[in-house]
Every structure is written in C-alpha cells, then in structure tokens.
Amino acid sequence: MKHSDVLVIGGGIIGCSIAYYLSKAGREVTIIEKGEFVSGTSSRCDGNILAIDKDPGFDSQMSLVSQRLVDELSRELDHSFEYRAPGSILVCESDEEMEAAKKWVERQKAAGLPFRMLDREDIRQESPYFADDLLGGLECATDSTVNPYLLAFSLLEDAKKRGATAFRQTEVRGIKKDQDIFIVHTSNGDFTANHVVNAAGVWAPRIGEMLNLSIPIKPRKGHIIVASRQQFVGSRKVMEFGYLISKFGGVRHVDPLTEKYGVALVFEPTESQNFLIGSSREFVGFNTKVNNEIIRCIANRAIRFYPKMADMMVIRSYAGLRPWTEDHLPIVSRVEEIPNFYIAAGHEGDGISLAAVTGKVIEELINEKETCIPIEPLAFNRFKERVVTS
Ligand SMILES: Cc1cc2nc3c(=O)[nH]c(=O)nc-3n(C[C@H](O)[C@H](O)[C@H](O)COP(=O)(O)OP(=O)(O)OC[C@H]3O[C@@H](n4cnc5c(N)ncnc54)[C@H](O)[C@@H]3O)c2cc1C
C-alpha cells in the first residue's frame, strides 16, 4: 500500500498543475493516471490562454490571474512550452455583430481589461488572407498561447523534481474513507492518502460516484483540423464573434449544419506554423471518433473567413471532449460532505487557460491559505443535488 499526503487523480493539465503547485509548496504528492499522462482532453485541444471570450467580471478576472501565472511559469519551469503572448482577436461579419462587439468591449474595459475595437483597416493589416467583406472586430491585448501538451509535461516534470511521484496505467476503481484516511483501489494496487483531489476531467463524475457524489459534468465534443506548414497566415489567434454566441448557446444566423454542430471559426497559429482550425460543440457521449461531415463544415467556415485557405493543405484532424458544466464555470472546490476531498474539473473549453490558477487555488485550499481569487463561484455546493440518493 503506497501512502501519500495528497493523491491527485487524473494526469491531464489540471492534475499536473495541481501536482506542481502542491509540491512547490512542500506537500508530498502522488499523481495517478489511468492511461498515459496527458492522453485525455489536454492533448486533443487548442492551446489558447484567453480572456477575450470570458464573461466580463469574475470569469475574465480569473483568466487574467491565470495568464499572469502562466507568464511566471514560462520563466520558472525547466522545459519551454511554446509560450507567446501576442493578444487575440474576434472578427465580425455583420453590423449586428459589430454592435454586440462594441458592448462586449465596453463591459470588458469597465472591468479593467485591455480590450479595444478594430475597424476594417485594422483587420486588413492583421492578415492579407482575410475575406474582404469583414467589417472589423475586437482585440484583447494580453491573451497568450501555449502548447498544452508541453505545458502539462513541463509542470509534471517540475513536480517530480520537487519530489512528486507519478503512476501511469493506474486506473482508480473504488474509493473508501476509513476515519481520516482515504483508501483508493486502482488497477495498480491500493493507495492511501490524507487528501484526495478529483482532477479526472470529463470522467470526474465516475470518480464522484465512487463516493456517492453526483458531479454535473458532461462531455462536449470538439473537432480540430491541423494544417501543414505553408504560407504565414497570421501570428495570433482569431475567432469569429459568433464563437461567443456558440459557446454561450445564443442564436446565430448560419446554415443548418454549422448550427447543428455548433461550428465557429477558431484559428490558432502554432510556433511551428502548423495552424489549427476549429471547432465544433456537441453532446454525443464519450466517443472521440472524427466525424468527416463536421470536418467539412469547419473547413467551409474557415474558407468563409480566409477564402485562400481553400488551396492550403491539411495534415490531420482530431476530436476531444470538453468537460462541460451548466454555468460554464469549473468546479474548483472542497467537498463539504467529505472532508479533505476536492474537485478540480469541469473547465469546458477553458482548461488550458485556467490550469495554472486551478492548481494554485487547490494548493491554497489544502494549505488553508487565503485564495488568489474568490472561490464561491467555483464551489461544488452551488449545485443542489450533490449526493446520489438511491
Ligand atoms: C477541441 C477543443 C479545443 C479546446 N481548446 C482550448 C483552448 O484553446 N484553451 C483552453 O483553455 N481550453 C481548451 N479546451 C479545453 C481543455 O482542453 C480542457 O478544459 C482541459 O484539457 C481539461 O483538462 P483536464 O486535466 O481536466 O482533463 P483531461 O486532460 O481529460 O485529464 C483528465 C485525466 O484523468 C484521467 N482519468 C480519468 N478517469 C481516471 C481514473 N478512473 N483513474 C485515473 N485517471 C483517470 C484521464 O485518463 C485523463 O488523462 C479545448 C478542448 C477541446 C475539446
């Protein structure tokens, strides 16, 4: 039986960040992963660390804190993770969207964020590949980008250097609490711990069930196309304003397939200039098989905004599962019903952006410190039905 002070379940970017901040604070940590580290959603996504698409107020302030922490990590961690902070933009294709964008910018500026409107000429300067009819857009100057896979491994390596222990191919199959000690049964033997953190992403509800907890997270599938290195299309992340509408479930004026699959343009230039094109949003269970009809739909949407992309080459496509919650905020929280059990999951499309702040907050909760952001909006007890009644 292997004992540790803190046991983290799940080796995605959230679990790796928690292991990093806890071991940096001197805690003895074990992190266990059912498959290979970073084989879940954290390697099937984009790498944007964004405030531009966050609800003004708590949501965007939390992202700003995380952006600052990632900037610090880019100097602290041994391995680089393709960090850049060039800002990001949203583009508008109608007067209606320009009006909505102006309101979005005003609200963000009032909350103290570095947002500004862009006109047609600014958009032309941004990339010669944009469609001529785009009206303008908006910019968030602090937004940054990383390679999520490398950031997760970099955090994990640093945690191990500080004494953390990591077990791969170790699937949690049952959890019991005997007085103050958790006993965690896995495919690789039993582990005991004083504190347990559930960082299992879309699988967090299954871990919750083992302790009779009902955790309201659902997998929301998204597809991405990877292009080959070719012309320099642009240096920073671009989304269509409709992405916000798609994310928050509003009504868009698009063709039925684009609507059905929740497709909205996301363009992400990577350091190696293999740009990524996304994305879709659907609730179709845990299947990550690529649907070619959706890939076509994403490609068509990209060509609407960048007509010359029709002649560019793509290498591959993939799909991942965003851990969705109803109010679009993650659960980063103690569990009142089970002392010393924590949940850090449900980051939907923001888990890369919020990994650093999540790791820090869990460290602060376990060490009973004041937290770097208010935690009430992230509390598990905001959901009424938390305990399975059978
Ligand atoms: C198409 C797409 C694009 C995205 N783009 C962005 C973006 O640009 N910016 C952003 O911030 N976010 C983005 N996201 C969201 C982001 O990828 C996720 O929020 C984040 O990766 C979630 O990380 P996680 O560590 O919670 O989950 P995961 O990476 O899935 O990690 C959970 C881990 O737990 C393990 N596990 C599960 N059950 C068990 C068990 N029983 N025992 C042991 N281990 C277990 C799993 O194997 C897995 O490795 C995107 C997501 C998608 C799908």
Side-chain angles (χ1 to χ4, degrees):
M1 195 116 65
K2 306 157 193 87
H3 182 78
S4 51
D5 182 16
V6 187
L7 183 75
V8 180
I9 301 171
I13 198 161
I14 300 296
C16 292
S17 173
I18 294 166
Y20 168 76
Y21 281 103
L22 279 168
S23 46
K24 190 177 166 196
R27 287 278 181 166
E28 187 209 356
V29 183
T30 297
I31 175 166
I32 55 180
E33 162 56 48
K34 73 173 174 177
E36 299 302 323
F37 279 90
V38 206
S39 60
T41 309
S42 305
S43 57
R44 293 160 177 268
C45 55
D46 284 304
N48 303 296
I49 313 253
L50 301 178
I52 200 164
D53 61 340
K54 305 294 182 295
D55 238 347
F58 171 75
D59 206 357
S60 55
Q61 292 297 340
M62 175 169 62
S63 297
L64 273 194
V65 173
S66 214
Q67 283 180 353
R68 286 189 207 115
L69 289 171
V70 172
D71 191 63
E72 278 171 34
L73 289 172
S74 72
R75 290 183 291 279
E76 276 174 26
L77 298 180
D78 280 349
H79 301 281
S80 62
F81 47 87
E82 300 182 359
Y83 172 71
R84 292 184 297 122
S88 65
I89 70 170
L90 292 177
V91 288
C92 299
E93 53 173 342
S94 66
D95 288 325
E96 198 186 337
E97 285 189 359
M98 281 298 275
E99 273 313 302
K102 273 184 204 142
K103 289 192 187 126
W104 188 258
V105 167
E106 276 156 26
R107 284 175 63 206
Q108 296 283 11
K109 277 167 70 176
L113 278 95
F115 275 62
R116 72 175 177 114
M117 285 301 287
L118 303 173
D119 62 20
R120 198 188 276 260
E121 192 44 39
D122 295 324
I123 293 290
R124 292 235 169 81
Q125 295 291 327
E126 188 75 29
S127 169
Y129 291 91
F130 272 134
D132 288 336
D133 65 338
L134 297 180
L135 298 179
L138 63 100
E139 175 200 68
C140 175
T142 52
D143 281 352
S144 54
T145 174
V146 298
N147 178 324
Y149 190 75
L150 291 181
L151 173 55
F153 271 109
S154 204
L155 288 161
L156 182 63
E157 285 309 308
D158 214 283
K160 289 202 282 197
K161 204 175 77 186
R162 293 167 192 270
T165 318
F167 290 86
R168 54 188 270 280
Q169 301 293 343
T170 302
E171 179 176 11
V172 174
R173 294 184 173 164
I175 309 177
K176 277 198 278 203
K177 198 169 182 199
D178 186 5
Q179 295 183 357
D180 287 340
I181 300 289
F182 288 95
I183 303 163
V184 179
H185 306 295
T186 81
S187 55
N188 190 17
D190 286 354
F191 290 73
T192 55
N194 306 328
H195 306 262
V196 170
V197 187
N198 176 0
V202 287
W203 299 274
R206 295 188 185 165
I207 302 294
E209 279 164 26
M210 297 175 194
L211 286 163
N212 225 25
L213 293 175
S214 168
I215 302 177
I217 292 173
K218 285 207 295 195
R220 195 178 198 186
K221 188 175 181 179
H223 286 71
I224 298 217
I225 301 174
V226 187
S228 71
R229 190 198 320 227
Q230 45 214 318
Q231 291 97 324
F232 183 80
V233 179
S235 61
R236 51 187 183 164
K237 175 180 177 113
V238 177
M239 291 177 291
E240 63 171 293
F241 193 78
Y243 169 88
L244 287 186
I245 305 172
S246 177
K247 177 175 176 181
F248 295 115
V251 179
R252 297 169 68 202
H253 306 295
V254 286
D255 65 77
L257 273 189
T258 304
E259 180 66 31
K260 174 178 172 195
Y261 296 126
V263 168
L265 170 81
V266 181
F267 165 82
E268 183 189 332
T270 63
E271 193 171 273
S272 56
Q273 278 303 311
N274 296 98
F275 58 82
L276 308 181
I277 295 285
S279 182
S280 54
R281 287 173 190 270
E282 345 152 67
F283 294 106
V284 283
F286 285 82
N287 184 348
T288 52
K289 195 167 184 286
V290 168
N291 175 340
N292 284 330
E293 186 173 58
I294 297 181
I295 295 299
R296 264 196 302 278
C297 196
I298 292 174
N300 282 333
R301 199 67 194 151
I303 292 165
R304 188 273 169 259
F305 288 91
Y306 295 95
K308 291 180 193 146
M309 267 189 200
D311 303 324
M312 296 185 187
M313 300 287 289
V314 301
I315 305 175
R316 69 184 179 100
S317 52
Y318 56 82
L321 304 171
R322 301 178 187 90
W324 172 92
T325 66
E326 202 176 22
D327 60 7
H328 305 287
L329 286 176
I331 307 168
V332 182
S333 178
R334 297 186 177 96
V335 173
E336 280 167 19
E337 292 81 1
I338 307 171
N340 298 333
F341 188 75
Y342 303 81
I343 301 172
H347 295 74
E348 198 183 346
D350 300 324
I352 310 305
S353 303
L354 301 178
V357 72
T358 300
K360 184 132 183 55
V361 165
I362 291 290
E363 179 271 309
E364 290 162 343
L365 288 177
I366 290 180
N367 284 325
E368 297 186 13
K369 294 180 187 165
E370 192 183 332
T371 51
C372 60
I373 53 165
I375 50 170
E376 295 74 32
L378 310 177
F380 182 49
N381 68 11
R382 70 186 192 268
F383 303 103
K384 279 205 182 79
E385 290 170 19
R386 303 188 298 277
V387 179
V388 181
T389 43
S390 54

